[in-house]
Amino acid sequence: MKRQDYIDWLRNLAILFLFPFHTARVFNDNPEFYVKGPVDTFSSALVNISSFWFMPLLFLLAGMSSFYALRKRSARSYTKERGLRLLVPLFFGLLVVVPPQAYYAKKFHEGYNGDYLGFLGPYFTDFSDWTVLTGISPAHLWFILFLFLISIAVLPLMLTVIRRRYAPAWLGRPAAALLPAAVLASLSFLPEIGGENIFVYACYFLLGFLIARHEANIADIERHRRVWLCVAVPGALGILVERFTAGSQTGPLFAAWHHPVYWATLLALLGYGRRYLSRRSAFMDYFSRAAFPVYILHQTYLIVIAYYVVRTEVPVGVAFAAIMVSSFCLCIATYEVIRRTPGLRTAFGLRAPRPVPAEPVGQRGIRSPGSGTTGRPRASAHRLPRVPGAGAVSGGVRDGVERDGGRGGDVE
């Protein structure tokens, strides 16, 4: 089955976008973040114009990927894989990765001067509210928790769709394709968990699954990408104006406006992604394996660095760049350690390396006595010329498949 490279691209770009996004959270006009610096208009605009699409995009892509995964795996294998690659990193993250965020938030907002070990006891016994900054919380790992719960909860429905061969062709027609926005708007009024609506995200997940279920849908979304863009851009600008003037509004009237814009934005991203990102890239091959560990680590590194940077008197632009670039570099450096350490690979949801097939005995080049040569056949004089760069390409594929266990993340 041909790999859908544009899904890797979109997912990886969304994860990379978390670095400028969460750095902007340090400087935007919302005071509810672990560490805060001077308010900056650019940061506020960046958060307001993007906060409504990139997490739904990750759930949508996860739903598409689940369809491709269930074409290759049984339900039992799918469930086991979800547990190993989502629950194990979640629990490790809750115990090791997330607590430093609350520690530095307590130092910044409350002037806490105690040591880290002294902080951990009260932290792990404070279950008062998941939305507070200094009590126990999944922090940014709520995405992993929600993804696991949604993946398991809707599995029977996904299997039913596959078994009955249901192909929702209506998702490829522009007028009908906007109908899910009404469902999303209705679900948005259901209760939230820790400030996030799992029902809305489950709907995005299922919509991704249904889109992938019918290949013609994806082609139609690509063909109508300009239509979706013409809905998304003016709508997003209107939402930006709303949030800078009246603030973020709720209620049925605003939900009826917001959710078609949200949904059209995702369709535009899918359409343009399939049109221009259906190709391989050396960086994306690498980052597809690094993406999940980077996601787990990024906010902790970012907050720790921000705590020290915002206490200096450097301009906001310099501080923004320092926090964003330093946290990204630390994430990549840590990934390089993780992928070489078996225990850490498991803790961060990476697959075990696939073993390199043993070379047949007859091909090992046993040296003949006194010959000075190996037992391999001599090269023919009529051998085709070596293609420049072929060794590098094959070596990269071999590293990606045999040593790192294939392109990872949550795509398959």
Side-chain angles (χ1 to χ4, degrees):
M1 182 175 61
K2 183 180 178 182
R3 190 176 186 90
Q4 306 298 316
D5 291 304
Y6 73 96
I7 295 180
D8 284 348
W9 272 92
L10 289 173
R11 184 206 59 196
N12 293 341
L13 289 173
I15 291 176
L16 287 169
F17 182 74
L18 288 169
F19 287 95
F21 178 83
H22 279 136
T23 303
R25 288 290 307 275
V26 176
F27 300 103
N28 76 324
D29 53 4
N30 187 339
E32 294 184 1
F33 199 60
Y34 297 85
V35 173
K36 296 299 295 184
V39 174
D40 173 62
T41 302
F42 168 79
S43 297
S44 299
L46 179 63
V47 171
N48 285 323
I49 201 68
S50 59
S51 58
F52 63 83
W53 61 261
F54 74 89
M55 292 309 294
L57 176 65
L58 288 175
F59 281 101
L60 185 82
L61 296 175
M64 297 179 71
S65 301
S66 287
F67 169 72
Y68 297 118
L70 287 170
R71 291 182 63 178
K72 300 186 296 181
R73 300 183 179 95
S74 66
R76 177 177 295 182
S77 175
Y78 174 86
T79 303
K80 179 181 178 182
E81 191 243 9
R82 297 296 89 179
L84 289 175
R85 300 190 63 203
L86 294 176
L87 281 186
V88 172
L90 174 64
F91 288 125
F92 178 81
L94 291 177
L95 293 174
V96 177
V97 178
V98 170
Q101 300 181 32
Y103 173 69
Y104 277 92
K106 195 173 184 69
K107 286 172 67 69
F108 184 85
H109 290 284
E110 300 179 7
Y112 177 73
N113 292 319
D115 59 32
Y116 184 65
L117 292 178
F119 159 81
L120 289 178
Y123 170 79
F124 282 119
T125 56
D126 181 2
F127 296 91
S128 57
D129 188 350
W130 271 15
T131 62
V132 299
L133 301 179
T134 56
I136 190 169
S137 162
H140 63 295
L141 302 187
W142 67 266
F143 167 70
I144 301 176
L145 174 61
F146 277 23
L147 185 57
F148 175 78
L149 294 175
I150 292 169
S151 299
I152 302 305
V154 304
L155 178 58
L157 180 57
M158 292 191 293
L159 294 174
T160 300
V161 169
I162 292 174
R163 184 171 59 251
R164 296 186 178 180
R165 299 185 178 182
Y166 172 64
W170 56 272
L171 277 170
R173 299 191 293 269
L178 277 177
L179 292 177
V183 179
L184 291 164
S186 300
L187 293 174
S188 68
F189 294 103
L190 293 177
E192 296 182 343
I193 301 174
E196 302 292 344
N197 192 316
I198 192 171
F199 304 103
V200 170
Y201 290 122
C203 187
Y204 281 121
F205 183 95
L206 279 173
L207 286 168
F209 177 86
L210 291 175
I211 287 173
R213 177 69 184 87
H214 191 45
E215 179 64 25
N217 285 339
I218 305 173
D220 288 335
I221 290 170
E222 178 187 349
R223 185 166 60 253
H224 298 125
R225 63 190 183 277
R226 295 182 182 88
V227 175
W228 306 125
L229 189 67
C230 288
V231 176
V233 172
L237 292 175
I239 291 173
L240 184 63
V241 171
E242 171 203 317
R243 294 183 177 180
F244 267 119
T245 55
S248 183
Q249 299 296 304
T250 58
L253 181 61
F254 287 95
W257 166 35
H258 292 166
H259 286 278
V261 174
Y262 302 167
W263 179 232
T265 302
L266 297 189
L267 292 175
L269 289 169
L270 278 183
Y272 279 93
R274 189 175 188 269
R275 179 67 177 84
Y276 296 106
L277 300 178
S278 293
R279 55 187 175 82
R280 298 290 294 272
S281 160
F283 174 75
M284 282 299 161
D285 281 353
Y286 172 84
F287 194 75
S288 289
R289 299 188 293 269
F292 197 44
V294 166
Y295 177 83
I296 294 171
L297 292 166
H298 82 279
Q299 187 165 285
T300 297
Y301 279 138
L302 192 148
I303 288 167
V304 174
I305 294 169
Y307 174 81
Y308 294 102
V309 170
V310 299
R311 300 171 72 186
T312 66
E313 296 183 356
V314 297
V316 170
V318 175
F320 192 108
I323 295 168
M324 180 178 66
V325 173
S326 299
S327 57
F328 174 75
C329 292
L330 281 173
C331 285
I332 294 299
T334 306
Y335 164 69
E336 287 297 321
V337 175
I338 291 168
R339 75 185 185 95
R340 291 173 170 84
T341 310
L344 288 177
R345 290 183 69 96
T346 302
F348 281 89
L350 295 180
R351 294 187 180 99
R354 297 176 185 175
V356 180
E359 191 175 4
V361 174
Q363 301 293 326
R364 289 182 182 173
I366 302 173
R367 184 179 297 275
S368 302
S371 67
T373 63
T374 67
R376 292 179 179 173
R378 296 176 63 95
S380 168
H382 301 290
R383 184 177 62 183
L384 293 174
R386 186 175 185 271
V387 178
V393 173
S394 63
V397 172
R398 183 168 58 251
D399 288 348
V401 174
E402 294 172 353
R403 187 172 63 215
D404 282 338
R407 285 190 284 175
D410 203 57
V411 171
E412 294 182 346

